[in-house]
Amino acid sequence: MSEIYEKMVKEAVSAQKADVNTIKNKRGSNFRIEDTKPYLDVVKNMEAIGDQSKSVINLHIDSVNAHYEILKSLTNTIRPEDDPFVEHYQTPVILDILRQEDSSFNKSLDTFIEAIGNAESLIGREVVRRYGGFYGPTCVVDFALMPGSTSNIINRILKTTDIPQMHKQAILSAKSWGMNTSYGIGEVFAQEIEKDTTVSLAVEKEIEMIKKVYQEPINAQAELMDGAGHESFDVRKYMSQYKKKMFKTVKEAMDDEVHYGNILTVPAYCVGDISHHISQSTFNMCKDDVTMAIIEATTDVIDNTLNSALKEFKSEYEILSLATGASACAVEYMLELDGFNAPMVVDLLTKKFHNYVQLYPDRGAAAELHNSDFMDMIYRGWKYLDEARKLKNGSSELLEPKVNRFRVDLNPVHENEVIMNPQRYTYPACAITVRFSSLMRLADYPCLLTSEPVTATLMTNIIALHKESAASPARTCKNCAAASLIDFRHHHCQWKEAV
């Protein structure tokens, strides 16, 4: 397995560096689709080796390639307001193909859609809670089953639905790592309530919307984009072309008996780097030298840590855990350089969330999702660093946290000239919150810190080794930062009850 582990690390780090190097070179300039080609080139070099399923790897490669070619044919650039949605056009199409090619799955979807209509009390309660901020900061499109998330609610409905288990898992996956439309549960309800619609009618319209994203996923996504004022390219043409380009790849995965949940998720999770992570919004954000340096230092910590541990890995899951744990340590460490830590920031952002709910009751369903991601990341890093600080005691040695049994190399933080010289980016004598201020920018957009290109690449490799098991959503406790430090919402989670 050592050859596979080495390949996984190489592909994941290469994907991250393709993004980071492109952003470093292009930041402050005007974004063009062609700017994303370095990431495309890395993906094209991915391969299945050993026991890995070639059809799973092809779902990743072919989706990224199709995404790039279609966007390039439809537009030269994408405006920032439209770039978050570029990874939401794949799952609706894949779901449509599966429904078209498998009559039994089509029947199960119809049964599930009927169950949505019968879940008025559940949906009504959950959208009211989401609207009022009952659960605190929530990731509505969470990759796990945290309270208030779409996955959590879909799971509750699926538990009452009499369909095959594999179909239940596929439907659940389609609204986690698979992004079946841009819709997050509670959006229609909030908008309707703010328009003075009655609560009962607002719940009725909410149910209609949830049903639609499964009945007509392609049309639903197109209409959602119409409502959002999308103008960068013709989304209907995109999905039509994507279906033609991906049909053969999806069919081959079906014939290879890849779990439908994996077929639904792999093609979507890997395309975001093209015109979302490498994009105008990222080029704009990273004009700030400190913000750019934080991303670079975190990348180098991931790189050094993974490569140092290559000979020690005993499981593919250890690689994923170390990659995300190393980045969590790096970000928390930079936060602590300015005298802050995760408990302080979680308290701050949770209080801010409750004020935000009152200021903007019609806020988008996704508004606080990346704040949630950021808090969960730094909280995890804080736990590792807190233990390391206790062991280090009064020693002058560099802090060396451990993720499970693996050492995290924080040297890249100290070797980064920008990170270690904050006085160059503010009033020099008072440079005590510079790194923190840039980290708060990244709290709205931590995708290259968590890191999505790394986790997407590693997850495809892991799924290729276990094609028969649904990899998403994560069926484990996330140790949510807000729930661990402030809110009492644990018993509303669904991770133990996942279908």
Side-chain angles (χ1 to χ4, degrees):
M1 292 291 286
S2 60
E3 185 184 0
I4 288 180
Y5 299 159
E6 187 173 346
K7 180 191 86 86
M8 288 173 65
V9 169
K10 181 181 178 181
E11 290 179 351
V13 172
S14 295
Q16 173 79 0
K17 288 190 171 181
D19 282 21
V20 175
N21 292 339
T22 300
I23 295 163
K24 180 69 179 288
N25 293 331
K26 299 280 187 175
R27 62 195 182 120
S29 66
N30 293 322
F31 169 73
R32 294 291 179 267
I33 302 297
E34 288 85 352
D35 294 335
T36 65
K37 193 170 184 299
Y39 175 77
L40 173 68
D41 292 340
V42 167
V43 170
K44 283 183 174 179
N45 286 325
M46 289 177 66
E47 59 179 341
I49 66 172
D51 294 331
Q52 289 188 316
S53 164
K54 190 172 188 295
S55 66
V56 169
I57 300 294
N58 285 345
L59 284 168
H60 188 121
I61 297 171
D62 293 353
S63 182
V64 173
N65 195 56
H67 180 65
Y68 176 84
E69 293 299 334
I70 294 167
L71 285 182
K72 193 176 172 186
S73 72
L74 294 175
T75 184
N76 293 319
T77 189
I78 293 177
R79 67 184 189 130
E81 293 82 359
D82 296 338
D83 84 51
F85 307 113
V86 299
E87 55 191 5
H88 299 173
Y89 304 117
Q90 298 76 36
T91 307
V93 172
I94 305 297
L95 189 63
D96 198 55
I97 294 173
L98 290 176
R99 189 167 194 166
Q100 173 185 319
E101 294 300 304
D102 185 341
S103 58
S104 66
F105 183 62
N106 183 44
K107 182 180 177 182
S108 290
L109 263 176
D110 285 340
T111 302
F112 170 64
I113 291 164
E114 184 179 347
I116 294 171
N118 294 330
E120 181 179 356
S121 60
L122 168 66
I123 293 171
R125 182 188 71 215
E126 293 300 319
V127 296
V128 166
R129 286 180 172 182
R130 182 260 156 196
Y131 171 73
F134 177 87
Y135 292 118
T138 298
C139 183
V140 73
V141 289
D142 194 36
F143 291 178
L145 293 124
M146 73 183 297
S149 68
T150 301
S151 296
N152 183 299
I153 298 162
I154 294 302
N155 189 69
R156 292 176 189 268
I157 298 170
L158 283 167
K159 286 195 296 183
T160 70
T161 310
D162 185 18
I163 58 177
Q165 184 74 357
M166 191 269 267
H167 292 172
K168 288 184 180 182
Q169 292 170 343
I171 292 167
L172 183 61
S173 292
K175 250 315 184 178
S176 60
W177 292 352
M179 286 161 270
N180 178 33
T181 81
S182 302
Y183 190 69
I185 283 183
E187 181 86 38
V188 163
F189 178 83
Q191 300 299 324
E192 289 296 324
I193 286 292
E194 289 304 307
K195 291 191 295 188
D196 292 331
T197 302
T198 64
V199 171
S200 59
L201 184 55
V203 171
E204 185 180 321
K205 290 189 176 183
E206 176 72 35
I207 291 171
E208 288 174 7
M209 187 67 225
I210 299 171
K211 290 170 72 172
K212 186 165 189 173
V213 302
Y214 292 97
Q215 284 174 324
E216 308 172 58
I218 294 174
N219 287 338
Q221 176 61 10
E223 289 173 13
L224 284 165
M225 293 299 93
D226 292 342
H230 186 287
E231 60 185 52
S232 294
F233 59 91
D234 188 325
V235 301
R236 290 170 175 82
K237 283 185 178 178
Y238 177 101
M239 289 187 279
S240 175
Q241 291 182 37
Y242 185 80
K243 186 173 183 178
K244 289 175 184 175
K245 287 180 179 290
M246 287 298 292
F247 184 86
K248 181 173 178 289
T249 308
V250 171
K251 195 70 172 67
E252 287 174 353
M254 294 173 71
D255 293 341
D256 192 32
E257 298 183 349
V258 177
H259 195 294
Y260 284 6
N262 297 329
I263 296 175
L264 284 159
T265 57
V266 170
Y269 194 29
C270 57
V271 303
D273 301 271
I274 292 178
S275 302
H276 175 36
H277 302 148
I278 303 175
S279 65
Q280 190 64 64
S281 57
T282 315
F283 288 1
N284 293 344
M285 180 179 73
C286 289
K287 285 189 289 187
D288 171 58
D289 288 350
V290 181
T291 300
M292 186 73 242
I294 290 169
I295 294 172
E296 288 181 284
T298 303
T299 298
D300 291 340
V301 169
I302 296 170
D303 185 5
N304 287 11
T305 301
L306 289 179
N307 278 292
S308 294
L310 268 179
K311 295 180 180 178
E312 301 176 51
F313 290 129
K314 295 178 182 177
S315 158
E316 56 273 22
Y317 297 101
E318 287 185 331
I319 304 174
L320 178 64
S321 177
L322 182 57
T324 54
S327 67
C329 288
V331 177
E332 170 66 16
Y333 187 61
M334 286 182 272
L335 187 65
E336 293 183 6
L337 289 176
D338 275 356
F340 294 88
N341 63 14
M344 295 166 66
V345 173
V346 173
D347 181 72
L348 174 70
L349 292 182
T350 302
K351 288 174 178 172
K352 180 254 190 190
F353 163 78
H354 290 293
N355 283 347
Y356 202 85
V357 169
Q358 293 168 1
L359 281 170
Y360 307 107
D362 60 347
R363 70 197 187 282
E368 66 270 8
L369 78 86
H370 275 321
N371 271 195
S372 294
D373 290 340
F374 185 83
M375 288 189 284
D376 292 349
M377 173 179 61
I378 60 173
Y379 174 61
R380 182 183 176 192
W382 172 74
K383 288 190 292 182
Y384 295 135
L385 263 63
D386 183 56
E387 183 178 357
R389 288 194 187 281
K390 289 170 182 173
L391 291 172
K392 179 177 177 289
N393 196 8
S395 166
S396 60
E397 296 175 1
L398 179 65
L399 196 67
E400 196 172 62
K402 280 188 175 181
V403 174
N404 302 322
R405 56 194 175 86
F406 302 103
R407 297 181 185 277
V408 175
D409 182 2
L410 293 174
N411 276 297
V413 175
H414 284 270
E415 293 166 0
N416 189 293
E417 190 172 357
V418 174
I419 296 297
M420 300 313 295
N421 289 282
Q423 75 281 357
R424 297 174 184 170
Y425 303 94
T426 187
Y427 182 72
C430 301
I432 62 172
T433 54
V434 176
R435 290 166 290 218
F436 172 76
S437 65
S438 287
L439 282 163
M440 287 302 94
R441 176 79 63 87
L442 288 159
D444 288 346
Y445 185 10
C447 302
L448 291 170
L449 301 179
T450 46
S451 137
E452 288 188 24
V454 169
T455 53
T457 306
L458 290 177
M459 280 310 307
T460 292
N461 274 280
I462 290 171
I463 290 168
L465 289 167
H466 308 281
K467 65 181 182 181
E468 70 288 342
S469 302
S472 70
R475 290 161 171 80
T476 184
C477 174
K478 282 184 66 186
N479 289 305
C480 302
S484 299
L485 295 173
I486 298 176
D487 290 325
F488 278 30
R489 67 185 189 199
H490 298 286
H491 62 291
H492 297 293
C493 191
Q494 283 279 292
W495 75 266
K496 277 190 176 180
E497 292 78 25
V499 296

